[in-house]
Amino acid sequence: MNDIASKVLKGEPRSVARLITLAENNSPDAAIAMKDIHPNTGEAHVIGITGVMGGGKSTLISEITREYRKQGKKVGIIAIDPTSPFSGGALLGDRVRMMELAMDEGVFIRSMGTRGMLGGLTSAVYDVVEILDASGKDIVIVETVGVGQAEVDVIKIADSTLVVLVPGLGDSIQTIKAGVMEIADIYVINKADRPDVNQTVAEVKSLVDIDCSNKDRKKPVLTTNARNGEGIKELVNEIKKHKKYLDNSKEFDNKRMRRYEAELIEIIKKRLMNLIFDESKFKEKVESLIYKIFKKEVDPYTAADEILGKILK
Amino acid sequence: MERKIRVLIAKPGLDGHDRGAKIVARALRNAGMEVIYTGLHQTADMIIETAIQEDVDVIGLSLLSGAHMTLFIDVTKLLKKKNMQDVLFIGGGIIPKEDVSVLKKAGVDGVFGPGTHTEDIVVFIKNNVKL
């Protein structure tokens, strides 16, 4: 077996960390190691957490993790923050809210930049979930960048998705548009010590009431105050209940299949783009086609067909 | 394959002055690095544990309390113990001249005092990081 993969399977933190780096950098070594990782995955419950910026997601994750730790579960956390499209740099600050977990051997936290990917995730996140899963984590939590209107990709990877809202954003449900409200398995109204919490709960519940996408399960709406731990136990119970619900329905296998579909698309996209734009083989051809488009000698669609034709033949 | 430089910026010990650390964190981000910022009151053990999990190439500590001779050196010892000398270790803050050579001897790769241009830190990292 691949050396780094076998160390990851033993749960060695440094090998876990190094393999994540290799995956993030699209290293061919990562692809080799993942061959041995993949058969050893599937056990971890993957929880996705998304929601409004400043909603307290990181603090909430810290508290959820402490609750799972009390129950003896090992937890992996992937905290994603945006990469600047201008400098390519990123300031990853989610750990500030998770300091109490820093010395716990049963917790592994990794901060990641989006590195150009839209949708609130980063393209290596599929690998990282598998790596943490294979390293023996019972729970893998994925924290997306704060959500605006289109950051819904987290459902592609999570078994259970939490959407975190806060009271007092006025008509907050309007600000996070349709897609975001549809992806929740559980709604969390955090910062529940704030005024207007009842109104926000009522607004969300009224949305849940008219939602008839699944008649077997009504989406729960919970309130928490992550700062003092209020409502966390109930939230974790609700997450576990959702997992049980998935296990007893066909939905679970379906969700996992869709996850692998999304991952496959991501890998193909990456490889194809790499092949066309980075490898010297096609570089000249691509440049000359771009020039031809510019000179109106060819249209962009024909040019794209020509490039794809060369690869697929 | 582009390898991004990953940097851990932290403040060890009992010192709440984090403006310098935040300015450096911003400057490194603007230079295209991924900066993991962990904030205040870090112990040497926490810093090393975070550096391992985040697989950083650089650790940058900021300290204005005067405890650098203890806390920076604790980190160098742990880096040696954990066989992590490939991680570039830099420190900044109010550090008297006579301490700088002692710190460097102990394994702090770069020391940056008040008045340092952030660009100098960026250049130092780019020239010395082991990827």
Side-chain angles (χ1 to χ4, degrees), chain B residues 11 36 63 74 83 93 101 107-108 118 122 125:
Chain B
K11 286 198 58 77
I36 294 102
L63 195 60
D74 280 354
N83 207 11
S101 58
V108 184
T118 52
V122 171
I125 290 174

Side-chain angles (χ1 to χ4, degrees), chain A residues 66-130:
Chain A
R66 287 192 340 150
E67 182 60 30
Y68 273 116
R69 291 296 295 142
K70 276 186 214 155
Q71 302 176 13
K73 302 283 187 202
K74 290 183 185 166
V75 183
I77 300 169
I78 305 166
I80 305 172
D81 271 328
T83 294
S84 159
F86 304 107
S87 70
L91 195 51
L92 312 173
D94 291 318
R95 269 185 179 266
V96 174
R97 317 265 177 244
M98 303 180 187
M99 245 31 262
E100 287 177 60
L101 309 171
M103 292 311 294
D104 184 342
E105 281 179 19
V107 179
F108 187 102
I109 307 171
R110 182 64 173 234
S111 316
M112 299 178 81
T114 51
R115 297 200 182 183
M117 181 135 137
L118 301 171
L121 296 180
T122 173
S123 65
V125 73
Y126 300 97
D127 286 334
V128 183
V129 166
E130 294 221 320

